[in-house]
């Protein structure tokens, strides 16, 4: 299957999390939001800002998680199953055929792990672009920086709420668009 290079699917997930990082006994990190912004490569336009809320099945949203993401247990209880969210990516966004990008490697690893754990088909093709690494090496930085710092390095402002998937995907797409614009000139 030929890879479509019309859009890059910029994804940012939020997962259940706890102060200190380790899930309580018997719980596992669950994706609770898939933020998505398709970036049209020919124009550099961000086409959509979408939030897909996912109902966690192996854990609960902690107070720490709500403080970080603003997402509550009640909100994600109204979400869809993880397997159904993956199906949306495949059918509505042709995620198996398109390059997808995230800021760092956490999103790719979490998708891979949760798909394996739940027996769900991985919704993406083999190509993933790590925007965090790309932008850091392009700037000659000795280490990677966080999203707010990366946006500032490229003269961009953080829009929306940091650590909300749809807002972060929107910002990552802006960063990638700016990077590509500078590369093409």
């Amino acid at each position: 299957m030929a890879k479509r290079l019309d859009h890059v699917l910029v994804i940012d997930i939020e997962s259940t999390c706890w102060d200190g990082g380790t899930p309580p006994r018997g719980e596992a990190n669950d994706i609770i939001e898939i933020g998505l912004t398709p970036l049209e490569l020919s124009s550099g336009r961000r086409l959509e800002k979408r939030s897909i809320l996912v109902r966690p099945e192996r854990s609960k949203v902690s107070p720490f998680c709500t403080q970080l993401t603003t997402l509550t247990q009640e909100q994600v209880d109204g979400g869809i199953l993880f397997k159904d969210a993956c199906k949306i990516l495949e059918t509505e966004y042709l995620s198996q055929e398109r390059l997808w990008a995230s800021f760092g490697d956490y999103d790719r690893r979490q998708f891979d792990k949760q798909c394996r754990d739940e027996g769900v088909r991985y919704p993406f093709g083999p190509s993933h672009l790590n925007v965090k690494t790309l932008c850091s090496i392009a700037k000659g930085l000795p280490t990677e920086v966080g999203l707010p710092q990366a946006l500032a390095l490229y003269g961009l402002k953080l829009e929306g709420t940091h650590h909300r998937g749809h807002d972060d995907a929107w910002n990552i797409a802006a960063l990638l668009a700016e990077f590509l614009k500078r590369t093409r000139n």
Side-chain angles (χ1 to χ4, degrees):
M1 172 183 339
K3 188 181 308 169
R4 294 173 181 254
L5 295 177
D6 53 349
H7 305 149
V8 173
L9 300 178
V10 179
I11 304 281
D12 185 81
I13 62 167
E14 302 304 329
S15 300
T16 50
C17 54
W18 301 270
D19 194 8
T22 308
R25 190 173 197 79
E27 293 193 36
N29 294 99
D30 277 316
I31 293 173
I32 55 174
E33 182 186 24
I34 301 170
L36 170 73
T37 297
L39 177 65
E40 185 177 61
L41 290 173
S42 62
S43 68
R45 283 186 323 121
R46 295 174 287 178
L47 301 178
E48 176 185 5
K49 183 194 321 190
R50 183 168 183 184
S51 170
I52 302 170
L53 292 183
V54 180
R55 185 169 56 247
E57 297 184 84
R58 305 172 301 167
S59 59
K60 295 285 183 202
V61 176
S62 70
F64 172 81
C65 188
T66 297
Q67 183 181 359
L68 183 67
T69 67
T70 74
L71 291 167
T72 65
Q73 184 67 47
E74 294 73 32
Q75 285 174 294
V76 299
D77 280 345
I80 62 176
L81 294 175
F82 176 69
K83 67 181 174 107
D84 296 330
C86 289
K87 192 52 103 179
I88 287 171
L89 295 174
E90 287 190 50
T91 57
E92 293 183 31
Y93 297 96
L94 304 176
S95 60
Q96 285 280 332
E97 302 170 35
R98 289 192 167 112
L99 174 65
W100 76 286
S102 64
F103 196 78
D105 216 28
Y106 174 80
D107 303 73
R108 184 190 60 76
R109 287 192 323 266
Q110 182 62 29
F111 259 106
D112 184 56
K113 181 177 184 341
Q114 193 162 338
C115 284
R116 274 187 286 113
D117 288 352
E118 295 189 23
V120 172
R121 175 177 139 129
Y122 185 71
F124 303 105
S127 299
H128 172 258
L129 180 64
N130 183 331
V131 177
K132 185 177 194 176
T133 301
L134 180 69
C135 289
S136 295
I137 62 173
K139 287 291 187 182
L141 301 176
T143 60
E144 295 176 335
V145 296
L147 182 57
Q149 297 90 342
L151 288 163
L153 283 170
Y154 282 84
L156 301 169
K157 295 218 179 307
L158 183 73
E159 295 179 47
T161 302
H162 188 33
H163 296 301
R164 269 307 300 268
H166 64 297
D167 287 336
D168 282 351
W170 185 255
N171 286 305
I172 296 161
L175 182 61
L176 182 56
E178 181 63 24
F179 173 85
L180 292 172
K181 183 175 101 179
R182 291 181 186 195
T183 304
R184 292 174 177 171
N185 293 337

